[in-house]
């Protein structure tokens, strides 16, 4: 099975391990991620303003390419997924903007949100299935206590993202248990790490990240996994004394593709 | 000073109907950047509605919003305050010479580990 | 027939529970509307057979309006939903036959909406007056 | 051929000032069938009515047209006059020349012209009128009350006190409903059980009342005065008539780890259980999903300890059929699921509870024996945060909770806060509110007492997030008055969850053909004037199934519903509305279209034998309308493809004649 894949800027640079292990692991389940040709950066954040059209072009191009190939579009980075999924939703529901964007792209066919967008986690849950993953695990995590960190981008706005219950998500917890780990539920797992504010106000980012780390640790987590390079950066930079790794690394480790992720 | 934008324009850009607000304050209760803001999410809703927009445009608050959508998701009335904050912010940075983040400033903000994503996001949020 | 000024002939079907009472309320409050409107009382707007509408046009009506309870408020729980569906079909067929869509209308008027009844009728009559006499479907054999 | 008399009313000057009544009566004289036409100052007066009566005699009238005020005003008056003059009351038609003519038109010429046309239309209709006789149906003198909470209990008691038989159907093993779970009641703070349980005993002992507990209504047929109801009595595996409620079985049952519904899962019960000490009926019930004996045949302890021999593992569901004259719906409410509000960590922390759970926590018969202890560690909480409006007042597009205000939360939260401060003065209590809504006798005073005398901290604002961390619940909230974000380390968080109608109500409404609103509350026949009646004749509403309400309101509505039932059951016969649908069996082809649109289920089909021209007999399926059920909306008449269905009093021919008269 082949799926279109949008890696995004960070996965080609600072977050290479998020990318590499996503691709390698999916191969194990017979899924090939085909990188979109000439993809452009999604912009990192989705602009909700109705008069902000240009910032959506990169996402629409990627979506359109996937749709024309008859493939669903998969992303791993939370930010890319958020931008692309929201853009797709907009294309489907706002014809005026879809027409405007069509005039920019101007290649003969208007895109109106037909492509299916999956986050890699959704792909694991809905296409592969956690039971299938469980069967392929060779290095189970032996009950390691792992706190999934969702942040904001994967889940919200929930009416558009529709990945999971935005206040009590389970998708990463189910993955952890499929890999033989013990998932730790903590309330701040869907709160913001501070995101791009790290550039502007390191203090606020520190405060937010610390709240997440503290809450996870008090709940008993020995490790945090995330799908977002910026979340990982903020948590590590602000002094997490437990490892913060990408969920794809953990996946690859359990599947025997990668060595121990405990640094 | 930023001259005030008309309320209607902000409502159009954001798609927000502030009349739906029942003034419960849950947006501000849930906001992770609350302490950094001079004007809080619920104030954006009521001030835009009453046309009191200039103070919002001149406030740093518009750059403190993390776009985490907690207020949008948890609002019991479906008001979507974050979209209104975004509309005010866009109204400000689109004006000539109003870029909040300049390319020249960026190198000083970087360290070895910062992901590209942070830089592009910040640019998109803070600059034209 | 001597006609100085065009006075349209309008048949209004009103359901007994909401719209007819709304029309009564318009009267109680002395809210005037043109005398061109003649009301026929039916138990429910869903009693209005498309045949009645056709008959009215055949006999020279210039406009037909059907008034019922608001959706969800039907005295018989669901009658007005039938009305809405039936009349949507009928009106588009009439449009096809050349009876303009403006000549036919379904309106929801509650027993509390005397003002709405009057304003609806004023509006409807003025629209029909602009359109002028309806010639389509009129069966001249019916004229004495 | 009719002989019609026309009577034009002046209504003093109400009509006469804008309608030339003389000209109207003159103009209508020559209409088809008219043999007499006159006008009079006040037709509705005794003299006016006498005028009608003498004209009927003198001119041998068969039909009457009164040009007067709205039929909604005096149709009944003139029909009565007609009857006393010896003609069928349904031979009267009214031309509304006041509300719909003289009062809305200023000009006497147009007014008169229109009045004449309206008169002609009425005459055209009367020409085609036929005498109608309302059908009669007997009334079964027994009422069914569905739901055994305080609403159902009160309704049943009131009906029974009037001397009628009442059956209560309650799906739980005991009656009592939500009120049995409450601790104290606002605003008087009297103990809920102390005022409820005597009523439960009254019900149990009343010779006119039967209780079907652990039972559900499984089908309803028939119509007002004549409902045929099937009640499913679920197998409780205990013979109700023998069980003494001694509790020996409960004690001995080895399976003790079943979440106790009565305490909202905050403690456990055994597989065989009696919900609470004052349960009515006080008999045991076996939970088939938990009982080892029923699951795999291994146990049987309860049967061995039962000295009465009441345990019966072979018991089956039983279906009881009964006839009723009236049905009262009293299905009550439940708090909504907190699933969509997990920012408050309800599913993550046992110390985040709903208000109903809080009731059980403070109830002396509850899981903690009335001591306020945190569910997680049984420690005394020192800081309690109450959150109001959780799931109430949500807009539709937020897709979270209910649009309406749940009405009772402000008061019970004030009660909870006050009781905590009263019993445990060392506890800090915060109430986060959007508005405090206290309309009701002594309600606002009650809330003010909570603030002023008991020192409850009322904060205008909402809680945004609850984060369990260690032993604490970190509450992040806004204080809108101080324009601050607050962070409170709480020990217990109580959510005032919105209430919604019981889930069983939807299916029941379908069975009863009773209408519901978009929130699944039953709708009333008239929101102001008939608040306890469903639009479906013979179905009455009691309590929160109709909308959120507190106990006093529920009890008053329950009594009101009972009085409506009593008035109905008091009648020996019911007169129907004769303006009902009727199918012409010669034309009907039995296509079933009419049955599908009928909102009342008034249409059924029979196979009838018809003699064919060649003298052979052919059986055809034809529609038959039950005139006692038909409400006369006419939906079927339009849907009928063959034109067999018509509505008496509003026949197609009559309405077309009116159209013709207007368009002439």
């Amino acid at each position: 099975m082949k799926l279109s894949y949008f890696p995004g800027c960070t996965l080609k640079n600072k977050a290479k391990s998020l990318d590499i292990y996503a691709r390698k692991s999916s191969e194990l389940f017979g899924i090939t991620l085909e990188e979109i040709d000439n993809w452009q950066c999604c912009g990192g954040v989705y602009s909700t303003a109705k008069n902000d059209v240009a910032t959506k072009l990169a996402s629409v191009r990627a979506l359109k390419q996937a749709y024309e190939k008859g493939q669903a579009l998969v992303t791993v980075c939370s930010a890319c997924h958020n931008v692309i999924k929201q853009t797709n939703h907009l294309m489907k529901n706002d014809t005026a903007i879809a027409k405007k964007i069509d005039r920019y792209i101007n290649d003969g066919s208007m895109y109106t949100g037909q492509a299916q967008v999956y986050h890699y986690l959704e792909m694991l849950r809905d296409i592969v299935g956690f039971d299938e993953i469980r069967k392929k695990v060779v290095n189970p995590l032996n009950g390691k206590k792992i706190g999934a960190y969702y942040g904001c981008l994967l889940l919200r706005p929930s009416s558009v993202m529709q990945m999971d219950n935005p206040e009590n998500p389970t998708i990463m917890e189910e993955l952890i248990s499929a890999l033989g780990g013990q998932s730790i539920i903590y309330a701040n797992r869907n709160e913001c790490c501070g995101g791009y504010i790290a550039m502007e106000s390191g203090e606020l980012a520190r405060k937010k990240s610390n709240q997440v780390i503290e809450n996870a640790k008090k709940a008993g987590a020995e490790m945090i996994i995330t799908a977002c390079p910026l979340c990982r950066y903020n948590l590590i930079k602000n002094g997490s004394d437990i490892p913060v790794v990408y969920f794809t690394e953990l996946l690859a480790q359990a599947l025997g593709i990668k060595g121990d992720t405990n640094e | 000073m930023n001259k005030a934008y008309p309320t209607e324009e902000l409502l159009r850009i954001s798609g927000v109907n502030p009349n739906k607000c029942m003034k419960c304050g849950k947006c501000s209760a849930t906001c992770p950047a609350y302490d950094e803001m001079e004007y809080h999410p619920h104030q954006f809703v009521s001030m835009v509605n009453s046309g009191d927009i200039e103070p919002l445009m001149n406030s740093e608050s518009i750059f403190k919003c993390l776009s985490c959508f907690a207020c949008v998701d948890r609002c019991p009335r479906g008001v979507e305050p974050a979209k209104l904050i975004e509309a005010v912010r866009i109204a400000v940075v689109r004006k000539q010479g109003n870029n909040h983040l300049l390319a020249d400033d960026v190198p000083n903000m970087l360290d070895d580990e910062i992901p590209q994503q942070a830089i592009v996001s910040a640019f998109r949020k803070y600059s034209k | 027939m001597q006609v100085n000024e065009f006075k349209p002939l309008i048949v209004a079907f009103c359901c007994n529970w909401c719209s007819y009472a709304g029309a009564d309320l318009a009267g109680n409050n002395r809210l005037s509307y043109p005398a061109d409107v003649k009301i026929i009382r039916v138990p429910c707007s869903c009693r209005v057979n498309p045949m009645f509408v056709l008959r009215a046009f055949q006999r020279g009506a210039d406009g037909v309006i059907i008034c019922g309870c608001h959706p969800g408020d039907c005295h018989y729980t669901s009658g007005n939903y039938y009305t809405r569906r039936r009349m949507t079909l009928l009106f588009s067929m009439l449009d096809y036959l050349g009876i303009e869509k403006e000549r036919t209308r379904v309106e929801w008027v509650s027993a509390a909406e005397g003002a709405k009844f009057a304003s609806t009728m004023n509006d409807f009559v003025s629209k029909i007056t602009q359109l002028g006499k309806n010639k389509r479907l009129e069966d001249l054999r019916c004229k004495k | 051929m009719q002989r019609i008399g026309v009577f034009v009313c002046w209504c003093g000057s109400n009509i006469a000032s804008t309608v030339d009544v003389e000209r109207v009566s003159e103009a209508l004289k020559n209409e088809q069938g008219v043999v007499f036409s006159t006008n009079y100052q006040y037709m509705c007066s005794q003299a006016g009515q006498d005028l009608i009566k003498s004209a009927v005699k003198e001119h041998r009238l068969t039909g009457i047209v009164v040009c007067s005020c709205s039929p909604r005003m005096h149709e009944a008056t003139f029909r009565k006059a007609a009857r006393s003059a010896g003609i069928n009351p349904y031979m009267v038609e009214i031309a509304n020349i006041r509300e719909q003519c003289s009062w809305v038109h200023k000009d006497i010429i147009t007014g008169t012209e229109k009045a004449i046309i309206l008169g002609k239309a009425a005459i055209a209709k009367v020409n085609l009128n036929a005498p109608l006789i309302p059908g009669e149906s007997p009334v079964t003198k027994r009422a069914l009350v569905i739901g055994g909470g305080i609403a159902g209990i009160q309704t049943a008691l009131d009906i029974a006190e009037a001397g009628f038989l009442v059956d209560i159907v309650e799906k739980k093993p005991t009656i009592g409903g939500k009120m049995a779970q409450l601790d104290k009641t606002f605003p008087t703070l009297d103990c809920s059980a102390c005022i409820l349980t005597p009523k439960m005993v009254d019900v149990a002992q009343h010779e006119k009342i039967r209780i079907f507990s652990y039972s559900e209504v499984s089908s309803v047929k028939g119509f007002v005065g004549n409902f045929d109801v099937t009640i499913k009595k679920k197998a409780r595996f205990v013979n109700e008539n023998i069980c003494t409620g001694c509790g020996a079985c409960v004690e001995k049952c080895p399976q003790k780890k079943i979440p106790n519904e009565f305490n909202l899962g905050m403690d456990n019960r055994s597989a065989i259980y009696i919900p609470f000490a004052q349960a009515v009926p006080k008999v045991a019930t076996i939970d088939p999903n938990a009982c080892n004996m029923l699951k795999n045949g291994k146990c049987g302890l309860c049967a061995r300890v039962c000295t009465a021999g009441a345990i019966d593992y072979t018991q089956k569901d039983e279906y009881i059929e009964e006839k009723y004259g009236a049905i009262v719906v009293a299905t009550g409410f439940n708090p909504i699921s907190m699933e969509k509000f997990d920012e408050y960590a309800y599913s993550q922390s046992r110390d985040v509870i709903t208000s109903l759970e809080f009731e059980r926590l403070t109830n002396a018969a509850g899981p903690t024996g009335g001591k306020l202890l945190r569910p997680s560690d049984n420690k005394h909480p020192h800081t309690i945060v109450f959150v109001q409006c959780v799931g109430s007042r949500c807009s539709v597009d937020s897709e979270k909770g209910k649009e309406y205000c749940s009405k009772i939360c402000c008061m019970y939260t004030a009660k909870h806060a006050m009781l905590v401060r009263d019993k445990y003065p060392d506890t800090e209590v915060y109430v986060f509110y959007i508005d405090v809504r206290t309309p009701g006798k002594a309600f606002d005073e009650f809330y003010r007492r909570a603030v002023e005398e008991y020192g409850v901290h009322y904060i205008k604002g909402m809680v945004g997030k609850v984060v369990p961390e260690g032993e604490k619940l970190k509450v992040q909230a806004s204080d809108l008055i101080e324009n601050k974000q607050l962070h409170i380390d709480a020990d217990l968080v109580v959510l005032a969850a919105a209430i919604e109608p019981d889930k069983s109500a939807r299916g029941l409404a379908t069975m009863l053909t009773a209408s519901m609103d978009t929130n699944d509350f039953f709708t009333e026949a008239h929101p102001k004037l008939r608040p306890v009646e469903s639009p479906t004749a013979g179905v009455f509403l009691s309590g929160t199934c109709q909308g959120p309400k507190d106990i006093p309101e529920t009890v008053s509505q329950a009594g009101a519903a009972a009085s409506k039932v009593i008035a109905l059951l008091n009648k020996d016969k019911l007169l129907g509305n004769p303006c009902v649908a009727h199918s012409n069996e010669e034309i009907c082809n039995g296509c079933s279209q009419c049955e599908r649109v009928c909102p009342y289920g008034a249409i059924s089909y029979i196979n009838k034998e018809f003699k064919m021209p060649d003298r052979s007999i052919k059986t055809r399926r034809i529609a038959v309308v039950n005139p006692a059920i038909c409400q006369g909306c006419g939906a079927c008449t339009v849907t009928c493809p063959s034109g067999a269905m018509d509505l008496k009093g509003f026949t197609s021919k009559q309405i077309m004649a009116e159209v013709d008269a207007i368009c002439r």
Side-chain angles (χ1 to χ4, degrees), chain A residues 50 167 191 196 208 233, chain B residues 13 32 65 68 73-74 111:
Chain A
K50 288 199 188 295
E167 302 297 352
E191 291 301 313
Y196 55 80
K208 293 298 133 192
Y233 168 80
Chain B
I13 296 173
C65 167
C68 76
D73 247 41
R74 291 174 189 156
D111 58 37

Side-chain angles (χ1 to χ4, degrees), chain D residues 306-327:
Chain D
C306 181
T307 48
I311 310 289
D312 174 6
Y313 299 118
T314 61
Q315 205 175 64
K316 296 269 180 303
D317 292 348
E318 197 185 334
Y319 290 87
I320 295 154
E321 285 177 21
E322 191 57 88
K323 279 183 165 306
Y324 297 98
I327 297 177

Side-chain angles (χ1 to χ4, degrees), chain C residues 17 75, chain D residues 523-537 541 564:
Chain C
W17 305 96
H75 180 77
Chain D
T523 44
E524 50 281 23
H526 188 284
K528 311 281 180 314
L529 302 176
R530 296 173 67 195
V532 300
E533 294 157 81
S534 153
T536 304
L541 311 173
K564 295 287 173 190

Side-chain angles (χ1 to χ4, degrees), chain B residues 98-115:
Chain B
N98 256 356
N99 281 343
H100 183 70
L101 180 68
L102 299 174
D104 291 347
D105 302 337
V106 172
N108 292 330
M109 298 175 167
L110 302 182
D111 58 37
D112 287 346
E113 293 304 321
I114 198 157

Side-chain angles (χ1 to χ4, degrees), chain D residues 351 358 372-386 417 420-421 423-430 455-457 471-473 488-494:
Chain D
D351 298 332
F358 186 86
L372 181 57
L373 300 173
R374 312 209 303 171
S376 66
D377 54 11
N378 277 333
K379 282 187 191 158
H380 166 56
H382 291 278
T383 305
I384 304 179
V385 169
F386 288 89
V420 170
R421 290 284 297 163
K423 256 184 163 169
Y424 309 99
D426 63 332
T427 306
E428 287 302 318
V429 175
Y430 299 87
V456 176
H457 307 297
E471 290 195 349
K472 291 286 180 186
L473 297 163
I488 298 170
D489 282 353
D491 301 311
L492 188 67
V493 171
V494 185

Side-chain angles (χ1 to χ4, degrees), chain A residues 9-11 13-15 41-56 77-80 82-83 86 152-153 155-159 166-167 190-201 203-204 207-208 228-233 237, chain B residues 5 9 11-16 30-36 60 62-74 80 82-84 86-87 89-91 94 100-101 105-106 109-126:
Chain A
C9 60
T10 314
L11 274 71
N13 285 290
K14 299 284 192 233
C41 171
C42 69
V45 279
Y46 176 77
S47 170
T48 61
K50 288 199 188 295
N51 60 358
D52 208 351
V53 172
T55 57
K56 278 130 194 153
C77 169
S78 302
C80 300
N82 185 283
V83 173
Q86 290 214 62
C152 44
L153 293 166
L155 302 167
R156 294 193 290 261
S158 57
S159 56
E167 302 297 352
N190 65 340
E191 291 301 313
C192 185
C193 65
Y196 55 80
I197 206 83
M199 299 276 291
E200 154 106 6
S201 158
E203 197 39 49
L204 178 55
K207 209 164 110 187
K208 293 298 133 192
C228 178
L230 188 48
C231 292
R232 179 170 177 270
Y233 168 80
K237 166 132 201 223
Chain B
Y5 241 58
E9 185 62 10
L11 301 187
R12 196 186 60 75
I13 296 173
S14 62
V16 167
T30 202
C31 180
Y34 185 97
D35 290 338
E36 326 298 316
E60 285 283 300
I62 51 177
F63 302 113
K64 304 297 181 193
C65 167
L66 303 169
S67 303
C68 76
F69 280 86
C71 55
V72 172
D73 247 41
R74 291 174 189 156
E80 308 184 317
K83 293 192 177 176
L84 208 50
E86 176 113 326
R89 194 181 46 68
I90 279 196
R94 282 222 176 143
H100 183 70
L101 180 68
D105 302 337
V106 172
M109 298 175 167
L110 302 182
D111 58 37
D112 287 346
E113 293 304 321
I114 198 157
Q116 287 68 26
Q117 175 197 356
I119 308 166
V120 295
S121 301
F123 260 107
R124 186 145 282 179
K125 280 285 164 184
Y126 297 146

